[in-house]
Amino acid sequence: MRKVRDRLREVYGTPLMKPHGDPLAELVLTVLSQSTNDRNRDVAYLRLRERLPTWEAVRDAPVAEVEEAIRPGGISKVKSARIQAILAAIAMHPRDPRRELSLDWMCAAPVSESRDYLTALPGVGRKTAACVLLFSYGLRDVPVDTHVSRVGTRLGLLRKSAPFEELHDEMLALTPPGEELELHVNLLRHGRRTCHARSPACEECALARMCPSRKDFTRT
């Protein structure tokens, strides 16, 4: 993994993204990112915050109003219902006896406790939980999206067709502490720019020499 990290660092540099300290915003943003691109996700998020400035307002608004606000992000009917269900579950969870919409306690909690809490929320899986923990507080977790999974599998780091739970556990085990953000971001960049799903640009790949799958893909 260190060789992969070093080579990707040469190509893409070291990401400079400081934890932003807002886990609830990250949670909603990650839900909005599903099945869309970054631009549409951001437009949907900004429209939601402009029209419903507090998370309590988002939770309590008619679902049609939330759906209309996030429409640019795609599949808004599903995402609006999911966001409201998540916010309702957070407000009612005994982890916060005051029934407030806050996840700030995660900053000082064990990662395993926060991960279990997040994945128990409606529609929240390991990738979303990892995004919240990593991008909000820089905690030790690595989101494995389709790009990271594809690159890791082709490099032989991850087992082909493994369930996402296993992929997250294995990627976390392989990642040196403190390098979770760098590896996630640079593997994602590589998946988007070079290691494409259907027609990977193997002849241009910075990782070609360490990729056991290269011959198979260059033949297609």
Side-chain angles (χ1 to χ4, degrees), residues 14-48:
T14 303
L16 299 176
M17 299 169 60
K18 295 183 179 181
H20 55 68
D22 193 342
L24 193 49
E26 187 65 40
L27 178 54
V28 173
L29 193 68
T30 306
V31 173
L32 291 172
S33 72
Q34 295 164 5
S35 301
T36 193
N37 57 43
D38 292 351
R39 179 185 178 280
N40 290 341
R41 173 204 65 193
D42 292 344
V43 170
Y45 180 81
L46 289 174
R47 278 168 53 109
L48 180 66

Side-chain angles (χ1 to χ4, degrees), residues 66-92:
V66 178
E67 181 182 346
E68 173 57 28
I70 66 172
R71 194 174 301 280
I75 55 174
S76 55
K77 189 176 184 66
V78 173
K79 292 178 182 178
S80 57
R82 181 168 298 166
I83 289 169
Q84 287 194 316
I86 288 171
L87 294 176
I90 292 171
M92 295 303 297

Side-chain angles (χ1 to χ4, degrees), residues 31-135:
V31 173
L32 291 172
S33 72
Q34 295 164 5
S35 301
T36 193
N37 57 43
D38 292 351
R39 179 185 178 280
N40 290 341
R41 173 204 65 193
D42 292 344
V43 170
Y45 180 81
L46 289 174
R47 278 168 53 109
L48 180 66
R49 299 315 306 271
E50 288 171 358
R51 299 185 184 191
L52 299 165
T54 69
W55 295 121
E56 288 79 10
V58 175
R59 178 195 62 197
D60 299 335
V63 67
E65 188 173 349
V66 178
E67 181 182 346
E68 173 57 28
I70 66 172
R71 194 174 301 280
I75 55 174
S76 55
K77 189 176 184 66
V78 173
K79 292 178 182 178
S80 57
R82 181 168 298 166
I83 289 169
Q84 287 194 316
I86 288 171
L87 294 176
I90 292 171
M92 295 303 297
H93 197 281
R95 188 64 177 78
D96 189 342
R98 294 175 296 173
R99 304 296 189 263
E100 292 181 352
L101 284 172
S102 174
L103 297 176
D104 293 347
W105 57 268
M106 290 184 177
C107 179
V111 172
S112 58
E113 179 182 338
S114 298
R115 183 189 296 123
D116 289 346
Y117 174 96
L118 289 167
T119 54
L121 294 172
V124 175
R126 281 290 298 274
K127 186 196 82 170
T128 298
C131 287
V132 172
L133 297 173
L134 179 61
F135 295 128

Side-chain angles (χ1 to χ4, degrees), residues 150-158 160 195 200 202 207-220:
R150 181 171 63 254
V151 176
T153 300
R154 287 175 176 172
L155 287 171
L157 300 172
L158 305 173
K160 186 176 181 180
C195 194
C202 296
L207 303 177
R209 292 185 178 181
M210 60 185 76
C211 181
S213 302
R214 181 176 184 271
K215 290 183 179 179
D216 294 336
F217 288 113
T218 52
R219 284 200 297 267
T220 60

Side-chain angles (χ1 to χ4, degrees), residues 6-18:
D6 291 345
R7 190 70 186 99
L8 291 175
R9 185 181 289 174
E10 291 176 9
V11 177
Y12 303 111
T14 303
L16 299 176
M17 299 169 60
K18 295 183 179 181

